[in-house]
Amino acid sequence: VSIEAKISNHVDRIDLRGLEAFIEEHQPKQAYCVSLTPKARKIALSNSAYVIDLPWQDFIQKLWNKEII
């Protein structure tokens, strides 16, 4: 699992260049961006992978429910 946090309410693919490089090198099963976004969404990357952008509240809930790790 790879996780990146952003202090933004709108995250684009260009904002995830570091995470994208990490995904290409390590190929985690899941990749998350935790942000101030109002609702969850998938962000497509160049290598047919994607990142799930989650509001921080949803991320914390999923983490406590053991849905992430």
Side-chain angles (χ1 to χ4, degrees):
V1 173
S2 59
I3 302 167
E4 183 168 345
K6 295 287 186 185
I7 301 175
S8 176
N9 58 3
H10 184 75
V11 178
D12 287 319
R13 182 177 153 230
I14 196 161
D15 301 317
L16 300 172
R17 290 178 295 203
L19 184 58
E20 186 172 8
F22 181 88
I23 291 167
E24 287 178 12
E25 186 173 332
H26 299 284
Q27 301 175 354
K29 291 183 180 181
Q30 295 176 323
Y32 294 95
C33 175
V34 182
S35 67
L36 301 175
T37 188
K39 65 179 189 173
R41 67 189 180 106
K42 288 184 180 180
I43 300 174
L45 302 177
S46 63
N47 57 1
S48 75
Y50 64 90
V51 173
I52 300 172
D53 184 20
L54 288 174
W56 68 269
Q57 300 93 330
D58 292 357
F59 176 79
I60 295 297
Q61 183 177 7
K62 287 180 179 293
L63 188 63
W64 281 107
N65 291 337
K66 300 182 181 187
E67 297 174 35
I68 292 181
I69 297 176

